[in-house]
């Protein structure tokens, strides 16, 4: 079973998207803040990371930067999933090697699930 | 481009920007134009009379140039002010959009999840969880919109800020009573004490109510399992002081200096998933600053907070 680490502080989003991905057969692990997310990324070695940007304790971009500097997990695909749409954040995230940058408000739950499946190479 | 006669009306144009007349670019340009016209006529008259004295010509030219420089400087400055106001407005719209997007996404995704095929096929015991998400996020958006409207009305002076003498104790009791159901459901208690000879306060009744609703609401919602909240009224010199103590999560030291800024929420509040717009204390400060009130607080993370405000007394 493929593992997804979902770093997101909104409990509602954790529930809806997390549950939808579980229904598709993924093993979804939840982290509610940046520090916890980074710790689980290192220990759990997920196949994909879904990362929010505005997070308690450690900002999403810092989490991404540290993931990219860690030799064990630096190749893990990271999808940014946020409601921030500033050019600065998008550029920085892509510069740091984010696979895709998704603005939550622009996608339906189904679209996001489809994007995740595509990033995982599943159909 | 169609020309509209109203464009000539400088006063109407300046009112549109909501800045003082002397800072309004249109007004300043008109003054500059008039000044150039008058200066030209005067210069012509003087030139005709003193044409043989080049020093006088030089002096007039220097004076005119200096005046134009001053006016041009004021115009540039006023443009900067306008640009800054515009930038702040854009930033505000950006933050508000972001704040509204979060609950909106939660609403949409929860609804889409409830309608999804997988969910319909599965055991529906969890259904209420998703209806709770919808309800909570609906409330969250309503709260945000209410707060934004309060701020806009406060800034435009459209909220009833007429001061009157009233009994603060009664208003405090009324606001506590509004939270009765939440307090009972969570087995919480508010201890309220007020001296018998407390003078009336002289303030706006509806605005003071907003202040109390926010402070009492915060103490209750950030209490985090602690069961007691204390409210004390007392008279200090010519002011009535309101104090509210909770033994809740408190505000981290590094966050305390930002606590009255709009959209700021302490990290521990976000982490503990206490819903809030980040606008409550901003509104409280805005009201008290505008009505001769003062606010101050002491807080310790994990131990609780004490918020105080004072209003002028009038017996």
């Amino acid at each position: 079973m493929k593992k997804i680490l979902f770093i997101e502080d909104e409990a509602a989003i954790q529930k809806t998207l997390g549950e939808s991905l579980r229904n598709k057969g993924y093993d979804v692990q939840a982290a509610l803040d940046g520090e916890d997310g980074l710790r689980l990324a290192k220990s759990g070695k997920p196949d994909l990371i879904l990362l929010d940007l505005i997070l308690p304790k450690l900002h999403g971009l810092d989490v991404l930067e540290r993931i990219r500097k860690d030799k064990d997990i630096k190749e893990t695909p990271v999808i940014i999933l946020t409601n921030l749409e500033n050019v600065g954040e998008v550029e920085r995230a892509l510069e740091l090697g984010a696979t895709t940058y998704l603005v939550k408000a622009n996608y339906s739950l189904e679209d996001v699930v489809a994007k995740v499946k595509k990033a995982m190479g599943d159909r | 481009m169609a020309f509209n006669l109203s464009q000539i009306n400088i006063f109407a144009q300046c009112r549109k920007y909501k800045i003082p007349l002397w800072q309004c670019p249109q007004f300043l340009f008109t003054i500059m134009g008039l000044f150039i016209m008058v200066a030209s006529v005067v210069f012509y008259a003087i030139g005709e009379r003193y044409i043989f004295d080049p020093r006088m010509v030089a002096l007039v030219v220097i004076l005119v140039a200096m005046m134009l420089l001053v006016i041009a400087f004021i115009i540039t400055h006023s443009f900067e002010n306008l640009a800054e106001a515009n930038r702040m407005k854009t930033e505000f719209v950006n933050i508000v959009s972001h704040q509204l997007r979060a609950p909106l996404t939660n609403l949409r995704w929860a609804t889409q999840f409830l309608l999804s095929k997988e969910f319909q096929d599965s055991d529906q015991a969890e259904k209420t969880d998703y209806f709770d998400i919808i309800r909570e996020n609906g409330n969250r958006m309503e709260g945000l919109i209410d707060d934004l409207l309060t701020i806009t009305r406060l800034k435009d002076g459209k909220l009833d800020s007429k001061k009157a003498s009233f009994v603060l104790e009664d208003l405090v009791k009324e606001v506590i009573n509004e939270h009765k159901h939440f307090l009972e459901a969570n087995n919480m208690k508010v201890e309220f004490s007020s001296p018998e000879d407390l003078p009336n306060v002289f303030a706006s009744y509806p605005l003071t109510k907003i202040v109390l609703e926010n402070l009492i609401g915060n103490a209750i919602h950030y209490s985090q399992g602690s069961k007691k909240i204390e409210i004390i009224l007392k008279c200090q010199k010519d002011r009535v002081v309101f104090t509210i103590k909770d033994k809740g999560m408190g505000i981290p030291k590094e966050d305390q200096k930002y606590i009255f800024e709009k959209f700021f929420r302490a990290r521990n509040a976000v982490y503990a998933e206490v819903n809030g717009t980040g606008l409550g204390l901003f509104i409280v400060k805005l009201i008290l600053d505008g009505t001769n009130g003062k606010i101050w607080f002491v807080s310790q993370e994990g131990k609780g907070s004490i918020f105080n405000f004072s209003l002028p007394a009038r017996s």
Side-chain angles (χ1 to χ4, degrees):
Chain A
M1 197 188 273
K2 287 184 181 172
K3 277 196 286 189
I4 296 176
L5 172 61
F6 189 13
I7 314 175
E8 161 73 64
D9 61 331
E10 282 266 351
I13 297 283
Q14 277 284 3
K15 199 151 173 63
T16 49
L17 182 57
E19 238 8 80
S20 299
L21 291 169
R22 280 182 201 103
N23 285 342
K24 294 285 176 207
Y26 295 112
D27 172 13
V28 183
Q29 197 173 19
L32 291 165
D33 66 71
E35 275 178 14
D36 204 29
L38 191 62
R39 189 179 56 76
L40 290 172
K42 286 177 184 171
S43 63
K45 306 228 168 50
D47 298 292
L48 178 99
I49 298 172
L50 277 170
L51 178 63
D52 186 17
L53 289 187
I54 300 182
L55 289 167
K57 293 190 180 177
L58 194 62
H59 192 276
L61 287 174
D62 294 327
V63 176
L64 179 58
E65 195 174 0
R66 290 186 202 189
I67 288 172
R68 290 296 175 244
K69 279 184 184 159
D70 189 309
K71 63 177 180 4
D72 292 337
I73 49 171
K74 69 176 181 191
E75 300 297 331
T76 317
V78 176
I79 295 181
I80 303 289
L81 191 62
T82 177
N83 263 327
L84 285 182
E85 213 176 353
N86 306 335
V87 182
E89 267 109 12
V90 181
E91 276 176 1
R92 181 85 187 114
L94 296 176
E95 213 175 88
L96 286 169
T99 314
T100 345
Y101 190 105
L102 303 180
V103 177
K104 289 173 201 162
N106 297 347
Y107 295 95
S108 68
L109 190 59
E110 221 172 62
D111 291 340
V112 178
V113 173
K115 296 257 179 203
V116 172
K117 281 173 79 178
K118 199 177 156 206
M120 299 280 265
D122 299 331
R123 290 210 140 257
Chain B
M1 203 169 79
F3 183 74
N4 187 344
L5 256 185
S6 68
Q7 281 175 345
I8 301 175
N9 188 346
I10 300 160
F11 295 99
Q13 290 268 317
C14 293
R15 260 200 306 276
K16 198 173 70 189
Y17 292 127
K18 293 186 175 165
I19 53 173
L21 196 62
W22 64 271
Q23 280 185 355
C24 172
Q26 272 94 341
F27 177 73
L28 289 167
F29 270 126
T30 313
I31 295 291
M32 190 156 87
L34 285 173
F35 183 74
I36 291 172
M37 279 192 267
V38 173
S40 308
V41 172
V42 171
F43 191 58
Y44 177 74
I46 293 173
E48 220 180 20
R49 230 174 140 180
Y50 299 97
I51 193 79
F52 299 112
D53 189 350
R55 284 172 304 177
M56 186 55 81
V57 177
L59 184 70
V60 175
V61 170
I62 289 170
L63 279 177
V64 171
M66 274 168 65
M67 282 308 289
L68 290 177
L69 196 70
V70 170
I71 298 177
F73 176 77
I74 301 174
I75 291 177
T76 321
H77 189 70
S78 74
F79 271 128
E80 273 169 16
N81 282 348
L82 274 180
E84 173 64 12
N86 198 27
R87 191 192 60 76
M88 280 172 69
K89 214 164 208 170
T90 313
E91 195 184 293
F92 188 70
V93 171
N94 275 342
I95 301 175
V96 171
S97 322
H98 179 259
Q99 299 280 330
L100 276 171
R101 266 180 168 179
L104 199 59
T105 309
N106 295 348
L107 277 176
R108 279 177 51 221
W109 287 13
T111 320
Q112 285 162 1
F113 187 78
L114 282 171
L115 292 169
S116 70
K117 199 176 166 299
E118 285 91 350
F119 184 78
Q120 312 242 325
D121 292 346
S122 72
D123 167 24
Q124 300 209 351
E126 277 184 88
K127 212 173 193 169
T128 51
D129 284 358
Y130 295 92
F131 284 123
D132 277 345
I133 293 178
I134 294 172
R135 185 176 44 82
E136 268 165 31
N137 284 281
N139 290 343
R140 197 166 138 190
M141 287 181 78
E142 194 186 359
L144 184 63
I145 291 164
D146 285 349
D147 282 355
L148 286 170
L149 281 175
T150 307
I151 292 172
T152 315
R153 286 175 188 151
L154 273 173
K155 293 215 160 166
D156 288 350
K158 280 182 186 155
L159 272 186
D160 183 8
S161 58
K162 212 167 69 194
K163 288 180 186 173
S165 168
F166 63 89
V167 183
L168 188 60
E169 188 185 346
D170 294 347
L171 186 56
V172 173
K173 280 182 186 159
E174 190 185 320
V175 177
I176 295 173
N177 203 38
E178 281 173 12
H179 289 96
K180 202 173 86 183
H181 296 295
F182 187 91
L183 290 167
E184 279 171 6
N186 290 281
N187 204 12
M188 286 170 78
K189 220 176 112 188
V190 177
E191 268 179 21
F192 177 38
S193 67
S194 168
E196 266 178 26
D197 56 349
L198 191 76
N200 282 8
V201 290
F202 188 65
S204 152
Y205 186 88
L207 294 188
T208 308
K209 189 169 179 205
I210 296 178
V211 169
L212 288 171
E213 279 167 349
N214 275 294
L215 291 179
I216 295 175
N218 279 354
I220 293 174
H221 292 108
Y222 293 108
S223 268
Q224 290 287 296
S226 146
K227 299 293 174 204
K228 198 179 89 176
I229 287 163
E230 216 178 321
I231 298 178
I232 304 154
L233 290 183
K234 59 176 180 261
C235 188
Q236 249 171 26
K237 288 183 192 162
D238 52 353
R239 301 182 75 85
V240 172
V241 180
F242 167 96
T243 301
I244 183 159
K245 296 181 191 174
D246 70 68
K247 293 195 166 63
M249 62 171 74
I251 306 159
K253 206 163 179 236
E254 64 272 23
D255 286 350
Q256 292 187 3
K257 56 179 176 289
Y258 306 113
I259 209 72
F260 293 114
E261 283 183 14
K262 58 174 171 279
F263 293 117
F264 182 80
R265 298 200 65 216
R267 284 174 307 106
N268 57 344
V270 178
Y271 195 52
E273 289 176 23
V274 178
N275 275 334
T277 61
L279 290 172
L281 287 176
F282 174 75
I283 291 175
V284 166
K285 181 95 167 54
L286 198 65
I287 290 175
L288 290 170
D289 281 352
T291 55
N292 200 12
K294 286 193 189 95
I295 182 157
W296 64 100
F297 71 95
V298 189
S299 186
Q300 207 181 344
E301 189 173 4
K303 295 264 170 75
S305 304
I306 303 172
F307 274 86
N308 311 277
F309 74 84
S310 75
L311 290 169
R314 176 170 294 186
S315 294

